[in-house]
Short mmCIF file of all heavy atoms in Angstrom, two decimals:
data_model
loop_
_atom_site.label_atom_id
_atom_site.label_comp_id
_atom_site.label_asym_id
_atom_site.label_seq_id
_atom_site.Cartn_x
_atom_site.Cartn_y
_atom_site.Cartn_z
N THR A 519 4.15 6.03 6.59
CA THR A 519 4.48 6.91 5.48
C THR A 519 3.39 8.00 5.42
O THR A 519 2.31 7.85 5.94
CB THR A 519 4.52 6.15 4.13
OG1 THR A 519 3.23 5.58 3.85
CG2 THR A 519 5.60 5.09 4.13
N HIS A 520 3.77 9.12 4.76
CA HIS A 520 2.89 10.29 4.78
C HIS A 520 2.80 10.95 3.38
O HIS A 520 2.95 12.14 3.26
CB HIS A 520 3.40 11.32 5.81
CG HIS A 520 3.43 10.77 7.18
ND1 HIS A 520 2.34 10.78 8.03
CD2 HIS A 520 4.43 10.14 7.89
CE1 HIS A 520 2.65 10.18 9.17
NE2 HIS A 520 3.92 9.79 9.08
N SER A 521 2.52 10.14 2.39
CA SER A 521 2.34 10.65 1.01
C SER A 521 3.53 11.49 0.53
O SER A 521 3.34 12.47 -0.17
CB SER A 521 1.05 11.45 0.89
OG SER A 521 -0.04 10.70 1.32
N GLU A 522 4.74 11.06 0.89
CA GLU A 522 5.91 11.81 0.46
C GLU A 522 6.09 11.72 -1.05
O GLU A 522 6.01 10.64 -1.63
CB GLU A 522 7.17 11.25 1.16
CG GLU A 522 7.15 11.35 2.66
CD GLU A 522 6.50 10.14 3.35
OE1 GLU A 522 5.80 9.33 2.69
OE2 GLU A 522 6.69 10.00 4.56
N PHE A 523 6.38 12.85 -1.67
CA PHE A 523 6.65 12.89 -3.09
C PHE A 523 8.11 13.24 -3.27
O PHE A 523 8.55 14.29 -2.79
CB PHE A 523 5.76 13.92 -3.77
CG PHE A 523 6.10 14.17 -5.22
CD1 PHE A 523 5.98 13.15 -6.14
CD2 PHE A 523 6.50 15.40 -5.65
CE1 PHE A 523 6.28 13.36 -7.48
CE2 PHE A 523 6.81 15.65 -6.98
CZ PHE A 523 6.70 14.62 -7.90
N ASP A 524 8.88 12.39 -3.95
CA ASP A 524 10.29 12.70 -4.15
C ASP A 524 10.71 12.41 -5.59
O ASP A 524 11.78 11.95 -5.88
CB ASP A 524 11.18 11.93 -3.17
CG ASP A 524 11.09 10.43 -3.30
OD1 ASP A 524 10.40 9.94 -4.23
OD2 ASP A 524 11.71 9.71 -2.52
N GLY A 525 9.81 12.75 -6.49
CA GLY A 525 10.05 12.40 -7.85
C GLY A 525 10.31 13.54 -8.81
O GLY A 525 10.57 14.66 -8.41
N ARG A 526 10.19 13.17 -10.06
CA ARG A 526 10.43 14.11 -11.14
C ARG A 526 9.15 14.89 -11.39
O ARG A 526 8.08 14.56 -10.93
CB ARG A 526 10.79 13.37 -12.40
CG ARG A 526 11.84 12.31 -12.18
CD ARG A 526 12.03 11.39 -13.35
NE ARG A 526 10.86 11.21 -14.17
CZ ARG A 526 10.90 10.84 -15.43
NH1 ARG A 526 12.03 10.66 -16.02
NH2 ARG A 526 9.80 10.68 -16.12
N ASN A 527 9.25 15.96 -12.16
CA ASN A 527 8.14 16.81 -12.51
C ASN A 527 7.68 17.61 -11.32
O ASN A 527 8.00 17.33 -10.19
CB ASN A 527 6.98 16.01 -13.13
CG ASN A 527 7.41 15.17 -14.30
OD1 ASN A 527 8.31 15.56 -15.07
ND2 ASN A 527 6.84 14.01 -14.40
N GLU A 528 6.89 18.64 -11.58
CA GLU A 528 6.43 19.48 -10.49
C GLU A 528 5.43 18.84 -9.60
O GLU A 528 5.49 19.01 -8.37
CB GLU A 528 5.84 20.79 -11.08
CG GLU A 528 6.84 21.90 -11.02
CD GLU A 528 6.24 23.18 -11.51
OE1 GLU A 528 5.17 23.58 -11.05
OE2 GLU A 528 6.84 23.79 -12.39
N LYS A 529 4.48 18.10 -10.12
CA LYS A 529 3.54 17.43 -9.25
C LYS A 529 3.16 16.06 -9.83
O LYS A 529 3.21 15.90 -11.05
CB LYS A 529 2.31 18.29 -9.00
CG LYS A 529 1.52 18.66 -10.19
CD LYS A 529 0.39 19.58 -9.75
CE LYS A 529 -0.47 19.99 -10.92
NZ LYS A 529 -1.61 20.76 -10.53
N PRO A 530 2.80 15.17 -8.96
CA PRO A 530 2.48 13.81 -9.43
C PRO A 530 1.26 13.80 -10.34
O PRO A 530 0.38 14.65 -10.21
CB PRO A 530 2.17 13.06 -8.14
CG PRO A 530 2.71 13.88 -7.05
CD PRO A 530 2.73 15.31 -7.52
N ARG A 531 1.22 12.84 -11.24
CA ARG A 531 0.08 12.69 -12.14
C ARG A 531 -1.05 11.92 -11.51
O ARG A 531 -2.08 11.68 -12.08
CB ARG A 531 0.52 12.08 -13.46
CG ARG A 531 1.22 10.77 -13.32
CD ARG A 531 1.73 10.26 -14.64
NE ARG A 531 0.83 9.39 -15.35
CZ ARG A 531 0.64 8.11 -15.07
NH1 ARG A 531 1.28 7.56 -14.08
NH2 ARG A 531 -0.19 7.42 -15.78
N HIS A 532 -0.85 11.45 -10.26
CA HIS A 532 -1.85 10.69 -9.51
C HIS A 532 -1.44 10.76 -8.06
O HIS A 532 -0.48 11.44 -7.70
CB HIS A 532 -1.89 9.24 -9.99
CG HIS A 532 -0.55 8.60 -10.13
ND1 HIS A 532 0.28 8.36 -9.03
CD2 HIS A 532 0.15 8.19 -11.19
CE1 HIS A 532 1.39 7.80 -9.46
NE2 HIS A 532 1.35 7.70 -10.75
N GLY A 533 -2.15 10.08 -7.20
CA GLY A 533 -1.80 10.07 -5.79
C GLY A 533 -0.49 9.37 -5.54
O GLY A 533 0.09 8.78 -6.44
N ILE A 534 -0.02 9.46 -4.30
CA ILE A 534 1.18 8.70 -3.90
C ILE A 534 0.68 7.40 -3.30
O ILE A 534 -0.04 7.38 -2.29
CB ILE A 534 2.01 9.49 -2.88
CG1 ILE A 534 2.42 10.87 -3.43
CG2 ILE A 534 3.22 8.68 -2.44
CD1 ILE A 534 3.28 10.80 -4.68
N TYR A 535 1.12 6.32 -3.88
CA TYR A 535 0.66 4.98 -3.47
C TYR A 535 1.81 4.21 -2.81
O TYR A 535 2.75 3.79 -3.50
CB TYR A 535 0.10 4.17 -4.64
CG TYR A 535 -0.92 4.92 -5.46
CD1 TYR A 535 -0.84 4.95 -6.84
CD2 TYR A 535 -1.94 5.67 -4.85
CE1 TYR A 535 -1.77 5.63 -7.60
CE2 TYR A 535 -2.85 6.37 -5.59
CZ TYR A 535 -2.78 6.34 -6.97
OH TYR A 535 -3.69 7.01 -7.71
N ASN A 536 1.74 4.08 -1.51
CA ASN A 536 2.70 3.24 -0.76
C ASN A 536 1.94 1.99 -0.39
O ASN A 536 0.96 2.04 0.39
CB ASN A 536 3.17 3.99 0.48
CG ASN A 536 3.95 5.27 0.12
OD1 ASN A 536 4.91 5.18 -0.59
ND2 ASN A 536 3.50 6.38 0.64
N LEU A 537 2.35 0.85 -0.94
CA LEU A 537 1.58 -0.40 -0.83
C LEU A 537 2.44 -1.59 -0.50
O LEU A 537 3.67 -1.52 -0.58
CB LEU A 537 0.91 -0.67 -2.20
CG LEU A 537 -0.08 0.42 -2.70
CD1 LEU A 537 -0.38 0.15 -4.17
CD2 LEU A 537 -1.36 0.36 -1.87
N HIS A 538 1.83 -2.68 -0.18
CA HIS A 538 2.40 -4.01 -0.04
C HIS A 538 3.58 -4.10 0.96
O HIS A 538 4.68 -4.53 0.58
CB HIS A 538 2.87 -4.54 -1.39
CG HIS A 538 1.83 -4.35 -2.47
ND1 HIS A 538 2.11 -3.65 -3.63
CD2 HIS A 538 0.55 -4.70 -2.54
CE1 HIS A 538 1.06 -3.63 -4.38
NE2 HIS A 538 0.06 -4.25 -3.74
N PRO A 539 3.38 -3.69 2.22
CA PRO A 539 4.48 -3.74 3.18
C PRO A 539 4.87 -5.18 3.54
O PRO A 539 4.04 -6.07 3.60
CB PRO A 539 3.89 -3.05 4.43
CG PRO A 539 2.42 -3.31 4.31
CD PRO A 539 2.11 -3.27 2.84
N TYR A 540 6.17 -5.37 3.74
CA TYR A 540 6.70 -6.66 4.18
C TYR A 540 7.93 -6.41 5.01
O TYR A 540 8.97 -6.03 4.51
CB TYR A 540 7.04 -7.51 2.95
CG TYR A 540 7.32 -8.96 3.30
CD1 TYR A 540 6.37 -9.95 3.10
CD2 TYR A 540 8.54 -9.35 3.85
CE1 TYR A 540 6.62 -11.24 3.40
CE2 TYR A 540 8.81 -10.65 4.18
CZ TYR A 540 7.84 -11.61 3.93
OH TYR A 540 8.10 -12.93 4.26
N GLU A 541 7.82 -6.68 6.34
CA GLU A 541 8.97 -6.49 7.25
C GLU A 541 9.92 -7.67 6.99
O GLU A 541 9.60 -8.81 7.29
CB GLU A 541 8.54 -6.42 8.69
CG GLU A 541 9.73 -6.11 9.61
CD GLU A 541 9.34 -6.03 11.07
OE1 GLU A 541 8.38 -6.70 11.51
OE2 GLU A 541 9.99 -5.22 11.77
N PHE A 542 11.10 -7.39 6.47
CA PHE A 542 12.08 -8.42 6.14
C PHE A 542 13.24 -8.50 7.14
O PHE A 542 13.98 -9.45 7.15
CB PHE A 542 12.63 -8.26 4.72
CG PHE A 542 13.47 -7.06 4.54
CD1 PHE A 542 14.85 -7.09 4.68
CD2 PHE A 542 12.88 -5.81 4.25
CE1 PHE A 542 15.63 -5.98 4.55
CE2 PHE A 542 13.66 -4.67 4.13
CZ PHE A 542 15.03 -4.76 4.23
N ALA A 543 13.37 -7.47 7.97
CA ALA A 543 14.34 -7.41 9.06
C ALA A 543 13.72 -6.53 10.15
O ALA A 543 12.86 -5.69 9.80
CB ALA A 543 15.66 -6.82 8.56
N PRO A 544 14.10 -6.72 11.39
CA PRO A 544 13.47 -5.90 12.44
C PRO A 544 13.57 -4.38 12.15
O PRO A 544 14.65 -3.87 11.88
CB PRO A 544 14.29 -6.24 13.68
CG PRO A 544 14.78 -7.65 13.43
CD PRO A 544 15.05 -7.67 11.92
N GLY A 545 12.42 -3.73 12.03
CA GLY A 545 12.37 -2.30 11.81
C GLY A 545 12.57 -1.87 10.38
O GLY A 545 12.70 -0.69 10.08
N ARG A 546 12.65 -2.84 9.44
CA ARG A 546 12.87 -2.50 8.03
C ARG A 546 11.79 -3.18 7.20
O ARG A 546 11.62 -4.39 7.22
CB ARG A 546 14.27 -2.93 7.59
CG ARG A 546 15.31 -2.12 8.35
CD ARG A 546 16.76 -2.35 7.96
NE ARG A 546 17.08 -2.40 6.58
CZ ARG A 546 17.37 -1.30 5.82
NH1 ARG A 546 17.31 -0.11 6.36
NH2 ARG A 546 17.69 -1.44 4.56
N ILE A 547 11.07 -2.32 6.46
CA ILE A 547 9.91 -2.78 5.70
C ILE A 547 10.15 -2.53 4.23
O ILE A 547 10.41 -1.40 3.82
CB ILE A 547 8.62 -2.05 6.15
CG1 ILE A 547 8.32 -2.44 7.59
CG2 ILE A 547 7.47 -2.40 5.22
CD1 ILE A 547 7.13 -1.68 8.16
N ALA A 548 10.09 -3.59 3.42
CA ALA A 548 10.10 -3.44 1.97
C ALA A 548 8.65 -3.13 1.57
O ALA A 548 7.71 -3.65 2.15
CB ALA A 548 10.58 -4.73 1.33
N PHE A 549 8.51 -2.30 0.55
CA PHE A 549 7.17 -1.98 0.06
C PHE A 549 7.28 -1.45 -1.35
O PHE A 549 8.37 -1.30 -1.91
CB PHE A 549 6.47 -0.96 0.98
CG PHE A 549 7.07 0.43 1.01
CD1 PHE A 549 6.47 1.48 0.35
CD2 PHE A 549 8.23 0.68 1.71
CE1 PHE A 549 7.03 2.76 0.34
CE2 PHE A 549 8.79 1.97 1.74
CZ PHE A 549 8.17 2.99 1.06
N THR A 550 6.14 -1.20 -1.99
CA THR A 550 6.14 -0.61 -3.32
C THR A 550 5.59 0.81 -3.23
O THR A 550 4.76 1.10 -2.36
CB THR A 550 5.32 -1.45 -4.33
OG1 THR A 550 3.98 -1.51 -3.87
CG2 THR A 550 5.89 -2.85 -4.46
N THR A 551 6.06 1.67 -4.13
CA THR A 551 5.68 3.07 -4.05
C THR A 551 5.66 3.72 -5.42
O THR A 551 6.44 3.35 -6.31
CB THR A 551 6.61 3.86 -3.11
OG1 THR A 551 6.15 5.18 -2.99
CG2 THR A 551 8.05 3.85 -3.58
N SER A 552 4.80 4.71 -5.55
CA SER A 552 4.75 5.54 -6.76
C SER A 552 5.34 6.91 -6.49
O SER A 552 5.17 7.82 -7.30
CB SER A 552 3.29 5.69 -7.25
OG SER A 552 2.55 6.45 -6.31
N ARG A 553 6.02 7.08 -5.38
CA ARG A 553 6.51 8.40 -4.94
C ARG A 553 7.43 9.09 -5.92
O ARG A 553 7.67 10.30 -5.82
CB ARG A 553 7.20 8.29 -3.57
CG ARG A 553 8.46 7.52 -3.59
CD ARG A 553 9.13 7.36 -2.21
NE ARG A 553 8.24 6.85 -1.21
CZ ARG A 553 8.14 7.34 0.01
NH1 ARG A 553 8.90 8.31 0.42
NH2 ARG A 553 7.27 6.83 0.87
N GLN A 554 8.01 8.37 -6.87
CA GLN A 554 8.93 9.01 -7.82
C GLN A 554 8.25 9.48 -9.11
O GLN A 554 8.86 10.08 -9.93
CB GLN A 554 10.10 8.08 -8.15
CG GLN A 554 11.02 7.90 -6.94
CD GLN A 554 12.22 7.10 -7.31
OE1 GLN A 554 12.14 6.12 -7.97
NE2 GLN A 554 13.37 7.56 -6.83
N ASN A 555 6.96 9.11 -9.25
CA ASN A 555 6.13 9.64 -10.36
C ASN A 555 6.63 9.24 -11.74
O ASN A 555 6.50 10.00 -12.70
CB ASN A 555 6.06 11.17 -10.24
CG ASN A 555 4.91 11.73 -11.07
OD1 ASN A 555 3.87 11.13 -11.16
ND2 ASN A 555 5.13 12.89 -11.65
N TYR A 556 7.23 8.07 -11.88
CA TYR A 556 7.66 7.63 -13.20
C TYR A 556 6.47 7.12 -13.97
O TYR A 556 5.56 6.51 -13.45
CB TYR A 556 8.73 6.54 -13.08
CG TYR A 556 10.08 7.11 -12.77
CD1 TYR A 556 10.56 7.09 -11.48
CD2 TYR A 556 10.87 7.63 -13.77
CE1 TYR A 556 11.80 7.61 -11.19
CE2 TYR A 556 12.15 8.15 -13.49
CZ TYR A 556 12.58 8.14 -12.18
OH TYR A 556 13.81 8.64 -11.89
N GLU A 557 6.53 7.33 -15.30
CA GLU A 557 5.50 6.77 -16.18
C GLU A 557 5.81 5.30 -16.38
O GLU A 557 6.97 4.91 -16.50
CB GLU A 557 5.58 7.46 -17.54
CG GLU A 557 5.27 8.95 -17.51
CD GLU A 557 3.79 9.23 -17.53
OE1 GLU A 557 3.01 8.38 -18.01
OE2 GLU A 557 3.39 10.30 -17.06
#
Side-chain angles (χ1 to χ4, degrees):
T519 61
H520 301 274
S521 304
E522 299 88 345
F523 172 63
D524 62 5
R526 312 171 331 156
N527 306 325
E528 261 182 51
K529 60 183 180 176
R531 55 186 269 280
H532 48 65
I534 302 299
Y535 310 134
N536 296 304
L537 300 164
H538 314 124
Y540 192 101
E541 186 178 32
F542 68 95
R546 295 183 47 85
I547 296 175
F549 68 104
T550 60
T551 184
S552 68
R553 68 182 51 224
Q554 290 185 317
N555 196 36
Y556 282 98
E557 297 277 336

